[in-house]
Structures are given as C-alpha cells and as structure tokens.
Amino acid sequence: MATRTGVLVVLLLGVTATIATAETLQKFPLLMPHVKPERAETYFCTPIRIDPAQEYYITAFQPNASMETAHHMLLYGCETPGTDEEVWNCGEMALAQPGIKSAPVCATGSQVIYAWAKDAPKLVLPEGVAFKVGGRSPIQYLVLQVHYASVEKFKDGSTDDSGVFLYYTETPQPKSAGVLLMGTGGRINPKSVEYMETACTINEDKILHPFAFRTHTHALGRVVSGYKVTRKGYFDDWELIGKRDPQLPQMFYPVYKDVVLRKGDTVAARCTMESKRDRTTRIGAYNKDEMCNFYIMYWTTSPEPLDQKYCFTPGPPLYHWRDEFYSLPDDASTIPASQGPRGGYHHHHY
C-alpha cells in the first residue's frame, strides 16, 4: 500500500482481519516511528506515500494510543506532504523541537479523514463506504499528526508509537466517504459563557448522507452541536445532525437522524464554552488554548466527495449565527440527560 517517505522503509502489509462484513480486509500500521517528544505541546507528523498505481479503499480505523500519552491524533490525506522527512514538527502555532525540521502537515491538498482523542474506540464505516486513496485519488499521502500535551512519560527514555491501524481493501466500494471539518477562530472572555459558531452553504452538485459526527474542544467546551439549516421564507428550519458533551470520549458517533445534504443547503455548528478563568482564552494549538470543531463524516455515490473540506468562521466577537439566520434553535446548548450528567446551557436570543 505505501512506503515511508524520506527513509522509504517498507511497512508491514498483509495481516488479515474481518470487520463488519465477510470480506477479508488488510491491515496497515500507520504509527509514529518510536519518537521521543521533549517538550509539552509538541506536534509531530509522520507520512506514508501510497502506491500511485493502485487505488485502495479504507473502511476502518483502529487507534493505537492512550490519552495519557497523546492529547489527540489527526489523520490527513495530502496530495503532497509538508516535507519528505520521516518525522517533523507540524504544529503551526506550537513549539518546535530542536533538531527536527518544521513544516506544515500537507504542502498541497490537505483534508482530514480521521480524528481521535480521549480514548475513543475503533471506527468502522458502514458497509460499502470507504475513503479512496492512492491511484488517481487526490490523496497520494497519508500524514499522521499527534499532539503531545505532556511529555512526562518520556523523561525515562521511553519512546512513542501512537498511531492508527488502517483496514483497507483493493475492491472498489460503491460509496465515497468524506469529512467536512467545521470550526471557528475567536476568543472566550473571562468568567463567561460564549457561543462559538460557524456556518457554510453546500455549493457542489452532490448528494451527501451524513452518518457520523465528532466534537472537539479543550477544557472549556460544554456542548457542541451541528445542524442542517433550510431557509423557508423568513424562517430557518434546523435539523439536528449531532450533539455531544466534548468532555466525553471524542469519537465519531452516529448521527442523530438521517438527513440529506444537497446543493444550496446550509450546515451550522456551535460550541458552547464556559470559562471560569480570570484571563481571556483564544483559539489555538496549546492545551491552555481552546478549539471548536464539529466533524461531519458522510458518504456520497458521486465518484469523489466534496471539494470543500473545511467550514470556518472568525468566531466571537466577529461572527455569530444571529448575524446570518432569522431564527435559532432553542436547544443548541443543551445536552439530553441520556448523554451524561451535564444539563447544558440554554440558548438566549439576542
């Protein structure tokens, strides 16, 4: 399936496993090559190049990590990686470890296809759904990014092989998988509850079927919710895609209900943040900063998923839903009792 760029070490292939269907899949280890992060808040990346003569179809992701070691992991698909090194510093705003090159995750064609945090379990895609990589796909490289919030574990000389096992087949699958990553910039004022909100319109002539969602914040996140929004005259109809307490395992959860996204539809997401801090908290890469992300994983029968991979706004104080929509959902900041002990934060109209 692939080779390590830089040293071009051929990785182990051919381990078989059966997941969800009777089809035999192959298992590929995309792991950190026993790295030793020396500074807290380090971001390391490591790549594999995929065979350009063969298309592969990834149908499941099995994490090989613990939240005691890795704060979170992201798996990117790239046309070209940020560099041809075996490992590099890749946190744009974070500390760079001396002696290791710094570069972006991808040089061209960046898209997120998998994310993990807080001891989330294995993700198996629905039958017939797969991420197409290699061959004529725009994904010619996979790049694993790991954020090490703490390095206490490595002070005794230990190394890390966090990463993900990819389950794949060479058999073409009828449905193409894609991920739309939604998020914001912005800031959270001291001792306040803040809504960090984003929205985008689908502009491509493709029919999308969301089947999973994932939320991600740091410590201040209380509720993250995502919606399909349809304008009906002077009224906006909000259909919930998913909602979660981001302090629970940050896995991909099944969508709340089956919705279909078409050209002209709007998707919107909100992170409800509660700060008891005496300082302003800004969006950033460090654990002391915040993030507001809502991932929509979907399938389409189109040969390729959306060209649009990201949906970001500047966030507060520059962007709010109320600037764009006629009506807002009353429960966007409330978690159902079945999801955990938090009751959530009720929305107030302004």
Side-chain angles (χ1 to χ4, degrees):
M1 179 183 182
T3 57
R4 286 279 187 195
T5 59
V7 294
L8 295 179
V9 177
V10 178
L11 297 182
L12 176 66
L13 294 176
V15 181
T16 59
T18 301
I19 297 183
T21 70
E23 181 182 10
T24 298
L25 301 174
Q26 296 190 74
K27 180 179 176 182
F28 188 94
L30 176 45
L31 309 174
M32 280 290 161
H34 294 283
V35 297
K36 185 182 177 184
E38 297 173 357
R39 295 181 175 183
E41 306 292 358
T42 291
Y43 283 72
F44 278 161
C45 280
T46 189
I48 56 171
R49 182 175 184 178
I50 306 163
D51 184 354
Q54 172 68 51
E55 292 177 345
Y56 300 91
Y57 300 86
I58 299 173
T59 62
F61 304 86
Q62 180 181 345
N64 181 65
S66 148
M67 64 184 291
E68 282 75 33
T69 303
H71 180 268
H72 70 261
M73 300 189 299
L74 293 175
L75 183 61
Y76 288 82
C78 308
E79 289 179 347
T80 56
T83 178
D84 60 0
E85 298 291 321
E86 184 184 18
V87 177
W88 68 91
N89 293 297
C90 57
E92 293 180 10
M93 297 176 283
L95 294 173
Q97 185 162 312
I100 298 179
K101 185 173 180 177
S102 294
V105 177
C106 300
T108 59
S110 170
Q111 58 181 289
V112 174
I113 66 170
Y114 174 73
W116 172 95
K118 292 187 178 290
D119 288 344
K122 181 191 302 182
L123 172 66
V124 180
L125 305 188
E127 185 173 359
V129 177
F131 287 94
K132 181 171 64 175
V133 301
R136 296 184 179 180
S137 163
I139 299 177
Q140 294 295 304
Y141 291 80
L142 292 173
V143 176
L144 171 71
Q145 181 190 65
V146 179
H147 173 202
Y148 298 96
S150 170
V151 295
E152 290 299 317
K153 178 180 177 180
F154 307 108
K155 291 185 175 179
D156 64 357
S158 299
T159 60
D160 183 55
D161 66 347
S162 293
V164 60
F165 292 98
L166 308 174
Y167 290 84
Y168 71 95
T169 177
E170 296 180 15
T171 304
Q173 301 296 294
K175 301 171 183 176
S176 300
V179 172
L180 179 63
L181 171 53
M182 308 180 70
T184 79
R187 65 174 185 253
I188 304 155
N189 291 325
K191 300 185 183 302
S192 69
V193 173
E194 183 63 76
Y195 299 151
M196 313 194 88
E197 297 167 333
T198 185
C200 293
T201 299
I202 304 298
N203 291 318
E204 299 172 44
D205 193 15
K206 297 173 180 177
I207 300 176
L208 312 177
H209 301 264
F211 63 87
F213 73 97
R214 177 183 181 265
T215 67
H216 177 69
T217 71
H218 294 172
L220 303 187
R222 295 295 176 260
V223 184
V224 183
S225 53
Y227 295 84
K228 171 187 175 181
V229 189
T230 306
R231 177 144 297 174
K232 298 180 178 180
Y234 291 96
F235 175 79
D236 293 308
D237 181 49
W238 295 71
E239 292 183 81
L240 182 65
I241 295 173
K243 183 192 299 185
R244 206 72 187 173
D245 177 346
Q247 303 308 320
L248 297 174
Q250 294 181 0
M251 60 184 277
F252 279 94
Y253 293 92
V255 294
Y256 177 75
K257 61 180 289 190
D258 290 333
V259 299
V260 178
L261 300 175
R262 295 179 172 86
K263 185 176 181 178
D265 288 336
T266 296
V267 287
R270 171 194 283 178
C271 299
T272 300
M273 304 291 200
E274 181 194 25
S275 176
K276 297 180 180 178
R277 297 170 176 172
D278 295 324
R279 62 175 176 86
T280 297
T281 304
R282 300 182 186 277
I283 292 291
Y286 298 135
N287 204 28
K288 67 179 179 63
D289 301 322
E290 262 305 333
M291 285 188 175
C292 169
N293 293 139
F294 185 83
Y295 295 75
I296 299 175
M297 187 174 286
Y298 62 87
W299 63 263
T300 177
T301 55
S302 298
E304 299 292 341
L306 287 177
D307 293 330
Q308 179 183 6
K309 310 299 181 186
Y310 301 97
C311 169
F312 276 72
T313 66
L318 298 178
Y319 175 87
H320 293 93
W321 278 351
R322 63 177 181 262
D323 302 327
E324 181 174 355
F325 298 105
Y326 293 131
S327 54
L328 302 180
D330 291 326
D331 59 353
S333 296
T334 304
I335 288 289
S338 61
Q339 283 194 16
R342 286 202 182 98
Y345 293 82
H346 292 282
H347 177 80
H348 300 282
H349 292 285
Y350 293 92

